[in-house]
Amino acid sequence: MRDLIDLCLNTASVLGASYTDIRIVHNERESITHKNGKVEDISISSDSGFGVRMLVNGAWGFASSFKLEHREIEEITALAFKIAKASALAKKGDVTLAPAKPIQDRYKTKVILDPFKVPLEKKLDLLSTAEGIMRKNREVKISQASMDSFKKELIFANSEGSYIEQEITFCGAGIMAMAIRNGDVQKRSYPNSFRGQFATKGYEFIESLGLKENAERIAEEAVVLLSAKECPNTTTTLILDGSQLALQIHESIGHAIELDRILGMEASFAGTSFLRPEHLHTYQYGSPLVNITADALLEGGLGTFGYDDEGVKAQRIEIVKEGKLDGFLTSRETATILGQESNGTMRADGWNRIPLIRMTNINLEPGDKSLEEIIAETKDGVFLQTTKSWSIDDKRLNFQFATEIGWEIKNGKLMSMIKNANYTGITPQFWSSCDAIANKDHWQVWGTPNCGKGEPMQVISVGHGTSPARFRNVRIGVGK
């Protein structure tokens, strides 16, 4: 590939580009779904190609192709040059890149069992067994087990001397049981909703999830929910489990701190942000207990990698420190506006897409109490678990989330199961009401493989480490 990369960079230099980078990407994907006693879907796909991005007269140009051939490299590089030159005619100002050191390196996800080398029969046996256990419960009308694996091989090079090879692998799996009676539909998922739990690890991670061991419990909970009472409509104390809190972090913090949204450079699909650049180091985002980090170095996190798609090394940075906003997610272009260097969050979901600022692993750092202690000191409230649905406005302020299951808390004890629970809030007020976070013994990294952004939409994988936490004076009610 070296000759193709040199051809691209040399061609761009001769044409007059002030900066050029090229990404050569090969993606592999496998998805398996076992539903209601049958294999519903097995899909295996792959794609390869390259994308060329360059600066000409202070403006970006980008072009891509699936043909990894010498003539195509020259033509696509020339096309990216023409697009950049045309873009410069409508620019509001010159794009300036924050400095970045040239890097020569390789990075590979630590994998014990390559998920693409595990026999299909073994995967189907695991899924069909787990799904079959749920189906034994006669009140479960829909049962499903699923598994997904991804691998990306990426070469990045730029005109500043960087040449980086990466191989990133992640996989995950999950089960779902749906019980239906007299028009009421209740669902339970494990380990998480929307196809389960994911990590940048090998098949050993899927084997560790315990799908078969938890299948009977999940089916029973779906059925018991049919007879559970509705969530009360009131303002009360709310304790969220880690999986639900991961989505809360994702939607009300992760997207809000993307600097391209804050600067109004990106609004497609998920809107902009209520934050402003002048909020940095001054804005009170939450209570003093709230510490948020963006950590692309976290082992196993779905937002873990070696280098971003601008060749900037993965980093751990503080986003919220003792409740106060302390950092944004930046690129080389946006960081220079703040007089900073990039903290390495630019990623594209394929060779034919430009990189955007994306979350890495956005984590709520653990507190000092056990979950049992937090519940025991709660006189009246609810404990909610597992995302069912969500909605948040285009500024990341007003939100409403629904969960699959919950329990009332009375005098420090979990009591009756409740169904159709949802809660609403406004981002800074909600995080300011946080008065307890469970300790590291409860802390877990949750993988989100389907974060969408941009137009055309790009789907990227991100992670959220968290343990359960408590929030005071939250409005809860019934939502289906």
Side-chain angles (χ1 to χ4, degrees):
M1 294 295 178
R2 281 276 192 176
D3 58 333
L4 296 175
I5 289 170
D6 290 343
L7 178 60
C8 168
L9 298 179
N10 290 337
T11 300
S13 177
V14 170
L15 288 170
S18 58
Y19 169 86
T20 305
D21 61 41
I22 178 171
R23 290 176 296 113
I24 300 176
V25 182
H26 175 73
N27 289 310
E28 291 183 59
R29 308 175 190 84
E30 181 184 81
S31 181
I32 307 170
T33 302
H34 202 281
K35 185 175 181 180
N36 295 339
K38 298 178 180 178
V39 177
E40 183 178 76
D41 173 66
I42 299 176
S43 62
I44 300 172
S45 63
S46 64
D47 62 81
S48 299
F50 69 96
V52 177
R53 190 181 68 148
M54 67 174 64
L55 281 175
V56 178
N57 297 336
W60 286 115
F62 176 80
S64 62
S65 173
F66 63 92
K67 293 181 180 179
L68 281 164
E69 302 169 356
H70 286 76
R71 176 172 293 182
E72 189 75 356
I73 289 280
E74 290 179 311
E75 291 181 356
I76 291 299
T77 302
L79 178 59
F81 178 83
K82 289 180 181 177
I83 292 171
K85 197 173 179 181
S87 298
L89 299 175
K91 67 182 179 183
K92 295 181 178 177
D94 285 350
V95 173
T96 303
L97 299 181
K101 295 179 181 178
I103 300 289
Q104 307 275 326
D105 201 6
R106 292 182 177 181
Y107 173 87
K108 185 176 181 179
T109 303
K110 295 179 180 177
V111 170
I112 297 174
L113 296 172
D114 186 338
F116 290 92
K117 294 182 179 177
V118 174
L120 180 60
E121 294 77 8
K122 185 175 182 179
K123 298 172 183 175
L124 287 173
D125 179 65
L126 171 60
L127 295 180
S128 64
T129 301
E131 190 269 314
I133 293 172
M134 294 187 291
R135 198 162 18 90
K136 287 181 180 178
N137 191 319
R138 294 188 175 183
E139 292 205 75
V140 170
K141 305 303 179 185
I142 299 175
S143 53
Q144 176 178 301
S146 59
M147 184 183 300
D148 300 276
S149 303
F150 304 83
K151 182 182 291 184
K152 174 185 281 188
E153 296 171 308
L154 167 68
I155 301 174
F156 170 89
N158 68 13
S159 55
E160 297 173 338
S162 286
Y163 184 91
I164 301 165
E165 296 181 359
Q166 297 192 83
E167 182 179 305
I168 298 171
T169 301
F170 73 90
C171 60
I175 56 175
M176 183 277 295
M178 187 175 292
I180 303 173
R181 183 196 304 157
N182 298 327
D184 190 10
V185 179
Q186 296 296 326
K187 181 179 77 172
R188 283 294 288 136
S189 307
Y190 174 85
N192 204 356
S193 48
F194 302 98
R195 297 185 73 84
Q197 166 71 318
F198 293 81
T200 49
K201 296 181 179 179
Y203 191 77
E204 69 279 2
F205 173 72
I206 290 176
E207 292 183 322
S208 73
L209 291 175
L211 299 185
K212 292 184 289 187
E213 292 78 3
N214 286 277
E216 183 176 357
R217 174 180 65 83
I218 288 300
E220 289 176 355
E221 286 183 354
V223 173
V224 173
L225 276 169
L226 293 172
S227 304
K229 61 182 181 180
E230 299 271 14
C231 176
N233 287 301
T234 187
T235 298
T236 189
T237 297
L238 169 67
I239 300 175
L240 295 178
D241 86 312
S243 66
Q244 175 58 33
L245 197 50
L247 182 70
Q248 183 73 50
I249 295 166
H250 181 98
E251 300 293 349
S252 65
I253 297 179
H255 278 307
I257 58 171
E258 295 166 342
L259 190 52
D260 54 353
R261 294 188 191 281
I262 294 167
L263 295 172
M265 300 165 64
E266 168 61 41
S268 297
F269 192 72
T272 56
S273 173
F274 69 94
L275 294 172
R276 296 290 175 264
E278 56 269 27
H279 286 157
L280 189 62
H281 306 309
T282 63
Y283 189 80
Q284 196 67 34
Y285 212 111
S287 76
L289 292 179
V290 176
N291 292 285
I292 301 289
T293 57
D295 189 355
L297 304 171
L298 187 63
E299 184 175 351
L302 218 53
T304 299
F305 47 84
Y307 299 86
D308 77 351
D309 285 341
E310 290 190 316
V312 177
K313 191 172 180 58
Q315 302 169 33
R316 172 188 163 93
I317 59 171
E318 291 181 327
I319 296 296
V320 176
K321 187 175 183 180
E322 296 180 349
K324 188 168 287 187
L325 181 66
D326 199 51
F328 297 128
L329 303 180
T330 66
S331 61
R332 291 185 66 183
E333 179 182 353
T334 57
T336 194
I337 295 172
L338 299 180
Q340 301 177 350
E341 294 187 1
S342 169
N343 48 41
T345 67
M346 284 285 272
R347 289 189 289 161
D349 76 350
W351 48 269
N352 56 353
R353 297 288 184 266
I354 59 171
L356 300 172
I357 293 176
R358 307 307 301 259
M359 292 177 235
T360 55
N361 302 297
I362 311 299
N363 310 315
L364 174 65
E365 296 301 310
D368 57 3
K369 296 181 178 178
S370 70
L371 175 59
E372 293 74 19
E373 288 174 322
I374 293 174
I375 293 173
E377 63 186 25
T378 302
K379 184 177 181 181
D380 187 64
V382 294
F383 176 55
L384 302 184
Q385 190 177 75
T386 315
T387 302
K388 187 176 183 180
S389 66
W390 68 95
S391 176
I392 189 166
D393 70 25
D394 61 359
K395 296 290 186 183
R396 303 282 142 184
L397 267 176
N398 297 276
F399 61 81
Q400 175 174 300
F401 296 110
T403 63
E404 290 186 356
I405 193 169
W407 291 266
E408 288 184 312
I409 301 173
K410 298 292 183 185
N411 298 317
K413 294 182 179 179
L414 291 180
M415 304 298 285
S416 301
M417 182 184 292
I418 55 176
K419 64 182 177 182
N420 301 328
N422 72 12
Y423 64 96
T424 68
I426 299 174
T427 294
Q429 287 89 332
F430 181 80
W431 285 104
S432 293
S433 74
C434 179
D435 76 340
I437 302 171
N439 60 32
K440 61 182 180 181
D441 293 339
H442 303 274
W443 203 81
Q444 183 175 351
V445 183
W446 296 91
T448 301
N450 56 352
C451 175
K453 183 177 180 180
E455 187 175 354
M457 189 177 77
Q458 298 190 40
V459 178
I460 211 85
S461 56
V462 305
H464 302 292
T466 185
S467 45
R470 184 176 62 199
F471 302 84
R472 299 290 191 181
N473 301 313
V474 179
R475 184 69 189 170
I476 65 170
V478 175
K480 294 183 178 179

